[in-house]
Amino acid sequence: MAQQTQEQDINHLLKVRREKLAELQQNGRDPFQITKFDQTHHSLEVKGLYEAHETELLKDRQEPNVEGMDEEQAKEALKKDYEERRNIMDASPIHVAIAGRMMFKRVMGKASFCNIQDLQGSIQVYVARDAIGTESYADFKKSDIGDIFGVEGFAFRTRTGEISIHAEKVTLLSKSLQILPEKFHGLTDVDTRYRQRYVDLIMNTESKDTFIKRSKILSAIRKYLSGEGFMEVETPMLVQNAGGAAARPFETHFNALNEDLKLRISLELYLKRLIVGGLEKVYEIGRVFRNEGLDTRHNPEFTLMELYQAFTDYHGMMDLTENLYRFVAQEVLGTTQIVYKGIPMDLGKPFERITMVDAVKKYAGVDWNEVETLEQARELAKEHNIEFEERHKKGDILNLFFEEFVEEHLLQPTFVMDHPVEISPLTKKKPENPEYVERFEFFMNGWEMANAYSELNDPIDQRERFKAQEELLAQGDDEANTTDEDFMNALEIGMPPTGGIGFGIDRMCMLLTGAEAIRDVLLFPTMKPLNGVKDENGVNKTESEAPKTEPEKIDFSKVEIEPLFKDFVDFETFSKSDFRAVKVLACEAVPKSKKLLKFTLDDGTGENRTILSGIHAYYEPEELVGKTCIAITNLPPRPMMGIDSCGMLISAVHHEEGEEKLHLLMVDDHIPAGAKLY
């Protein structure tokens, strides 16, 4: 009932706004007919100019001495001082014209105050009837929060010390027909912030600052690379062969040529063609597309930068990476010292360099130099509870050890070098040990930030690597590459020794802005449609527009369920299982696992609980955050992919036409975390 009343109130307010617009239009003052406003300044510029002007004009004035005066005398002295200062400043006014959205309004009879928000911040505006005219003031009084105004006037300082604008002309530039979130609570719902980024940017200063900083990061990257002689280029997004990375591509169809195409998953193969063509230093910053899950660090489309430099190797790429990160941090933040989630990181110090074999030895206690056969590798994996597949070779298992035991420790800037050849199809082998390649991954905060090679330029070796990739594809690895014959032709023409690297720009932005999730640095992240409707983004329709839906009819005729257990369990045994309601605080895909989701749960104890569940085939992490689920909380911790899973989430499983179906058990959100099931 309360919700219905609220919706009615909102509908009434929306109706009133449209009526105000209609009245303006009838009176020949339609704001939507205005095409231009000559904006001379932004809010922060006005404040800076006024302070500088004030410093110059009032440099000889002393603050009034009110010592020894009673309260009334002191008040009078300060008033007199203010009026004198004001007269001096008003005699030499700074005229400005600003434009922005009205975020606050206080009407006081013949004069009003409002706050105008623009790109740089907000500034107070004093609006008086005598200054702007009776008709204009009457319209202003009827204005709404969210309306966009142009204000012409002069800057002044109020008695309370706030730099403001004394309006001489106020122009309604656009009428807001929707209602912004309430001022003091703002827009806090994360899902709505992502879906309606335009509202998020209006209501949350930190969000706007993040994206301004992201733009500066990209500018700083380009500035550094330009200074190093690199040339920025653009290569195709629609490709026949999506190679250069281990990822599943998006597929589409080009009607004009009746040809199936893919969206690129990498920038690599085309940029290398340019190296073959004699462009010695090239880079591209662009969108790539990977048909994979959504979580705090992954989005199906993201910004990648790849660069290639002829006549250098992966050591040259390490030096470039170190210098680039240091330059960008200094340029954007003014320091090489950053803190992310309480962890200080120093980009000013030399970055650590360690081989993958030494890293596994350091953190897992396993010396891979002593592992000679695939069988030995498999036995070690079993001893350390590392899951592997039949297709995995010795080098693959080394990489599984690295992912399981090492990555989480790489908080400070670290280059992990010399990967096994099995996981590096485009990289030069180390001459002294061909089981490994000249490759490094750059880590910070336990995240892979960049991936670099001494690029493979041997066409015969490259063809063999492609052949191995196609065998993996035939075995069911849908992320494996296929042979790119045109690229092979380019290699056969001849590519010089080359160093290449790929940077995850979004993760770089996360670290430098303090953002917790990749969606916080993407203006419009990919979101799951609400209720299967792709175009609403959580926007409420008015009552008259709301679609009328009938209850869904569910067909259970093809459902197969497991037979009930015939063995009874005594009540005492059953009662030892502790079933609790839990709230999903966070959910993300487990790296390198196609099945597992990692849940961070509130179980009512005040300490977060981690549970892993193999349900990624049925749910994306984003749709589970905030849900109330049921878990068994007194199971012993079980290590899975290097993470202790402390309990089990309850799901309902059945079969339909031979296919397994699963539904995570989700209950009423009114049930508090920790509520016990009996």
Side-chain angles (χ1 to χ4, degrees), residues 250-479:
F250 287 94
E251 297 181 359
T252 188
H253 185 77
F254 183 25
N255 292 336
L257 297 179
N258 192 25
E259 181 182 18
D260 290 333
L261 295 173
K262 300 178 178 68
L263 290 174
R264 66 184 181 188
I265 60 173
S266 170
L267 311 173
E268 180 169 347
L269 299 186
Y270 280 100
L271 290 176
K272 283 183 176 178
R273 288 169 166 90
L274 299 180
I275 294 290
V276 171
L279 303 181
E280 295 180 0
K281 290 183 176 183
V282 294
Y283 78 98
E284 181 173 6
I285 299 174
R287 286 290 208 194
V288 296
F289 309 86
R290 298 182 181 180
N291 200 349
E292 54 191 25
L294 300 160
D295 60 33
T296 56
R297 285 186 286 162
H298 295 88
N299 196 70
E301 59 171 313
F302 61 97
T303 304
L304 183 65
M305 179 177 76
E306 292 196 29
L307 63 85
Y308 294 85
Q309 180 179 345
F311 313 116
T312 190
D313 62 2
Y314 72 142
H315 291 289
M317 292 296 102
M318 284 187 229
D319 294 338
L320 183 146
T321 302
E322 193 165 334
N323 292 331
L324 172 65
Y325 261 77
R326 200 168 287 146
F327 176 87
V328 171
Q330 189 66 50
E331 188 87 356
V332 177
L333 306 177
T335 178
T336 57
Q337 310 277 333
I338 66 171
V339 178
Y340 186 78
K341 289 187 178 180
I343 301 171
M345 304 174 196
D346 190 352
L347 296 169
K349 293 181 179 178
F351 296 0
E352 184 181 359
R353 305 187 182 195
I354 188 171
T355 66
M356 182 176 283
V357 169
D358 286 344
V360 168
K361 185 177 180 179
K362 179 178 179 179
Y363 293 106
V366 175
D367 189 348
W368 212 255
N369 290 318
E370 298 178 358
V371 180
E372 296 179 357
T373 65
L374 174 58
E375 199 52 47
Q376 286 177 309
R378 287 175 172 175
E379 286 301 315
L380 278 170
K382 291 173 184 176
E383 289 174 18
H384 290 79
N385 298 313
I386 291 180
E387 296 182 14
F388 61 90
E389 299 176 22
E390 190 64 30
R391 62 182 176 85
H392 283 149
K393 299 177 181 176
K394 179 181 159 187
D396 294 304
I397 295 174
L398 169 62
N399 189 51
L400 292 174
F401 266 90
F402 174 78
E403 291 169 354
E404 185 89 5
F405 293 105
V406 181
E407 284 189 1
E408 62 182 322
H409 298 287
L410 305 178
L411 302 178
Q412 298 301 318
T414 304
F415 295 115
V416 177
M417 308 178 294
D418 302 349
H419 293 52
V421 68
E422 292 90 338
I423 64 169
S424 310
L426 297 167
T427 318
K428 271 192 175 182
K429 295 175 183 176
K430 292 182 71 66
E432 67 275 18
N433 190 350
E435 288 187 7
Y436 297 92
V437 297
E438 293 193 346
R439 172 186 175 187
F440 73 79
E441 289 176 300
F442 174 52
F443 283 85
M444 286 180 68
N445 191 53
W447 302 346
E448 179 197 335
M449 305 297 293
N451 187 18
Y453 307 153
S454 293
E455 301 295 336
L456 182 63
N457 61 345
D458 180 344
I460 298 170
D461 190 355
Q462 180 63 79
R463 187 170 289 281
E464 289 299 312
R465 306 266 193 107
F466 274 140
K467 186 179 177 182
Q469 286 285 300
E470 289 188 337
E471 288 174 3
L472 291 176
L473 188 66
Q475 294 172 26
D477 186 351
D478 54 7
E479 295 185 348

Side-chain angles (χ1 to χ4, degrees), residues 103-237:
M103 300 299 291
F104 169 79
K105 184 179 75 170
R106 185 172 75 249
V107 177
M108 304 179 302
K110 298 178 182 180
S112 302
F113 283 95
C114 69
N115 267 57
I116 299 295
Q117 177 178 291
D118 60 19
L119 177 65
Q120 295 183 350
S122 75
I123 191 165
Q124 180 174 261
V125 178
Y126 174 70
V127 185
R129 186 184 67 183
D130 294 344
I132 69 169
T134 303
E135 187 178 64
S136 183
Y137 188 68
D139 287 344
F140 177 80
K141 287 201 298 182
K142 294 178 183 178
S143 63
D144 295 298
I145 302 302
D147 289 351
I148 296 174
F149 281 95
V151 177
E152 299 169 59
F154 60 91
F156 75 103
R157 190 184 290 275
T158 66
R159 291 186 193 276
T160 58
E162 185 172 355
I163 296 173
S164 308
I165 295 173
H166 191 297
E168 295 172 314
K169 185 179 180 182
V170 174
T171 306
L172 179 62
L173 301 174
S174 182
K175 182 68 186 166
S176 176
L177 301 179
Q178 279 289 349
I179 301 169
L180 292 175
E182 197 269 324
K183 175 186 174 186
F184 294 101
H185 297 100
L187 182 63
T188 57
D189 181 72
V190 173
D191 190 74
T192 306
R193 289 179 66 181
Y194 296 152
R195 293 182 185 276
Q196 299 178 39
R197 181 67 81 189
Y198 45 93
V199 181
D200 178 38
L201 293 169
I202 293 169
M203 301 304 300
N204 296 305
T205 304
E206 68 277 8
S207 183
K208 184 187 289 184
D209 290 344
T210 292
F211 291 106
I212 291 172
K213 197 171 286 182
R214 179 186 174 110
S215 178
K216 290 179 178 178
I217 289 168
L218 289 167
S219 294
I221 291 171
R222 288 185 164 101
K223 182 178 178 181
Y224 175 79
L225 292 176
S226 177
E228 293 295 312
F230 280 86
M231 174 181 170
E232 185 173 9
V233 299
E234 293 177 306
T235 62
M237 290 190 183

